[in-house]
């Protein structure tokens, strides 16, 4: 009697990581599994002989869509939402430090800008606490925000900052230098920054 051997090939996946990511297909933050595959030779449908490894991929736990692992470098919706108020707070502090952080009009505009970006209940005490942080501490938040914003939105943020700086009079040298440094952290070119600064100054002089 001869035994009929049923050989086959199958990829066996195992989970090597998990977390939350933004799934484009679902349109929201979802749980994912990072999965590594390996081809196996199967005998009677049971993997018996391990062959070569296949690439790793990310799979959405909800819709089962597979993605290349680079998808994990993109921010989740929750991270993007958190980046707005954090970035705005860092922005207004960077601008205020270069001018007069005690100027009441500038502070009010700064607080309004941070609150408008979603920093709930932002007030003078919160602003003072942020201003007490070392200046370099806010730069990652500014860079993260800049990376998420469309070019027009970056220009809008910079223009708002210039209006804060203009609250206590014309831009000073240090304020101009700070504005250009902030613009660079927002991923704007110097030419863009200079253009926004000039237009905002002109509008303020006319208003
Ligand atoms: Zn999905």
């Amino acid at each position: 009697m001869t035994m009929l051997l049923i050989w086959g090939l199958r990829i066996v996946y195992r989970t090597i990581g998990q977390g939350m990511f933004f799934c484009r297909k679902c349109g929201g933050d979802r749980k994912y599994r990072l999965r590594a595959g390996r081809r196996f030779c199967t005998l009677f449908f049971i993997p018996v002989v391990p062959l070569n490894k296949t690439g790793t991929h990310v799979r959405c736990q909800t819709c089962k869509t597979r993605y290349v692992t680079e998808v994990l470098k993109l921010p989740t919706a929750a991270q993007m939402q958190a980046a707005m108020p954090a970035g705005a707070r860092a922005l207004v502090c960077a601008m205020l430090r270069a001018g007069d952080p005690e100027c009441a009009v500038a502070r009010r505009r700064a607080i309004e800008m941070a609150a408008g970006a979603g920093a709930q209940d932002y007030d003078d005490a919160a602003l003072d606490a942020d201003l007490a942080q070392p200046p370099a501490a806010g730069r990652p938040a500014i860079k993260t925000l800049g990376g998420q914003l469309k070019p027009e939105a970056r220009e809008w943020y910079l223009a708002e900052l210039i209006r804060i700086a203009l609250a206590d009079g014309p831009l000073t040298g240090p304020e101009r230098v700070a504005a250009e440094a902030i613009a660079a952290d927002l991923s704007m070119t110097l030419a863009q920054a200079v253009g926004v600064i000039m237009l905002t100054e002109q509008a303020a002089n006319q208003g």
Side-chain angles (χ1 to χ4, degrees), residues 21-31 59-65 67:
F21 84 123
F22 181 83
C23 177
R24 283 194 300 272
K25 183 94 179 295
C26 292
D29 290 347
R30 299 287 183 263
K31 284 183 185 166
R59 192 169 78 146
C60 174
Q61 291 258 65
T62 304
C63 69
K64 312 299 182 201
T65 302
Y67 295 93

Side-chain angles (χ1 to χ4, degrees), residues 4 6 9 15-16 31 36-37 44 54 75 140 147 150 156 161 167 170 179 204:
L4 180 63
I6 303 179
L9 266 178
T15 299
I16 56 172
K31 284 183 185 166
F44 294 112
T54 68
K150 293 202 162 70
W156 182 86
L161 292 177

